[in-house]
Amino acid sequence: MKYRSVFEIIGPVMIGPSSSHTAGAARIGRVARDLFGRQPEWARIHLYGSFAETYKGHGTDVAIIGGLLDYDTFDERIKTAFEDAAAVGMTFEFIPEEEEADHPNTAKIVIGDSQGEMELVGISIGGGTMEVTELNGFPLRLSGHFPALLVVHDDRAGVIANVSNAIASQGMNIAHMEVGRKEKGKMALMVIEVDQMFDETLINELKSLPNVTQVSTLAN
């Protein structure tokens, strides 16, 4: 197995017996919460591969719920995440799936409230690190290592250039960028990880650009 950093081998400070099954799972849950932008009222968590087989014994279940409550990997409150979820009125259900996923530690998290819902697929890739591989049906690669902008837009010429120019005008460097679409000329999604933290000025500028319909953020 190839590791992209020593951090993937030694793992982070964490609560739980396994960096892949606990810390990585908590980060998947927390990224889902961040992208949703608020405390979800309910959650359905589909688990695949090793996650599905060992999620209770390895603490994957409490870790994901802790992440959805915005707990970091080292937060002692992960141990009481089920009780804490009940206290804030969040219901949840775990669904172990028998079908194979591309990665053995895969979770599909569907969360929502009265205002809307969101679906995210994340994988725990070792040492407490994770990647988001799908968001609301869009395939992507989002590491969570960098501040990120997720720009939903109409698939039109010039949108990518306008967004890139707006980021450059703030003196920011793009670390990773990818664009996906479900159908030519329809809805598309830009995922942009940057080296510096952004502010509301950039977010508001992106929202005002032609053919941009939504901007979500993920702070590092």
Side-chain angles (χ1 to χ4, degrees):
M1 180 177 181
K2 293 183 179 180
Y3 293 95
R4 281 166 288 186
S5 73
V6 68
F7 187 72
E8 293 183 29
I9 303 173
I10 63 174
V13 177
M14 63 180 187
I15 304 299
S18 166
S19 60
S20 294
H21 285 214
T22 309
R27 287 187 165 172
I28 293 170
R30 197 175 189 205
V31 166
R33 155 71 182 257
D34 285 347
L35 291 176
F36 191 59
R38 55 192 181 274
Q39 179 64 58
E41 295 177 356
W42 55 265
R44 292 193 308 272
I45 301 105
H46 301 259
L47 301 173
Y48 300 84
S50 182
F51 269 4
E53 295 168 1
T54 63
Y55 70 99
K56 291 182 179 179
H58 283 188
T60 305
D61 48 3
V62 293
I64 290 177
I65 297 304
L68 291 174
L69 293 171
D70 202 27
Y71 298 167
D72 208 338
T73 56
F74 54 79
D75 197 319
E76 291 282 346
R77 292 176 296 174
I78 284 179
K79 297 176 182 178
T80 60
F82 285 0
E83 293 83 356
D84 296 347
V88 300
M90 184 180 78
T91 61
F92 56 87
E93 176 186 10
F94 285 91
I95 306 168
E97 301 286 3
E98 295 184 359
E99 66 181 278
E100 292 187 7
D102 292 335
H103 192 279
N105 297 331
T106 298
K108 180 172 73 174
I109 299 177
V110 186
I111 53 179
D113 59 15
S114 60
Q115 301 179 53
E117 65 180 68
M118 185 191 81
E119 179 181 301
L120 174 150
V121 177
I123 59 174
S124 178
I125 59 177
T129 57
M130 66 91 214
E131 286 185 357
V132 176
T133 60
E134 187 177 307
L135 180 65
N136 287 341
F138 285 100
L140 53 86
R141 183 175 69 82
L142 179 62
S143 70
H145 293 322
F146 302 94
L149 296 157
L150 289 87
V151 182
V152 180
H153 61 97
D154 297 328
D155 183 27
R156 299 287 187 274
V159 180
I160 296 172
N162 289 340
V163 169
S164 299
N165 288 336
I167 293 171
S169 71
Q170 298 288 324
M172 303 181 69
N173 186 54
I174 295 175
H176 171 77
M177 179 178 183
E178 59 182 77
V179 182
R181 64 184 183 184
K182 295 181 179 179
E183 186 179 346
K184 182 179 179 181
K186 301 295 184 179
M187 183 185 296
L189 173 67
M190 256 182 275
V191 178
I192 308 164
E193 293 183 313
V194 294
D195 288 333
Q196 301 89 8
M197 190 59 199
F198 39 77
D199 57 21
E200 289 296 324
T201 302
L202 175 60
I203 296 170
N204 290 333
E205 182 177 354
L206 294 177
K207 288 180 177 178
S208 69
L209 292 175
N211 297 307
V212 170
T213 57
Q214 182 179 342
V215 178
S216 298
T217 62
L218 181 65
N220 187 25

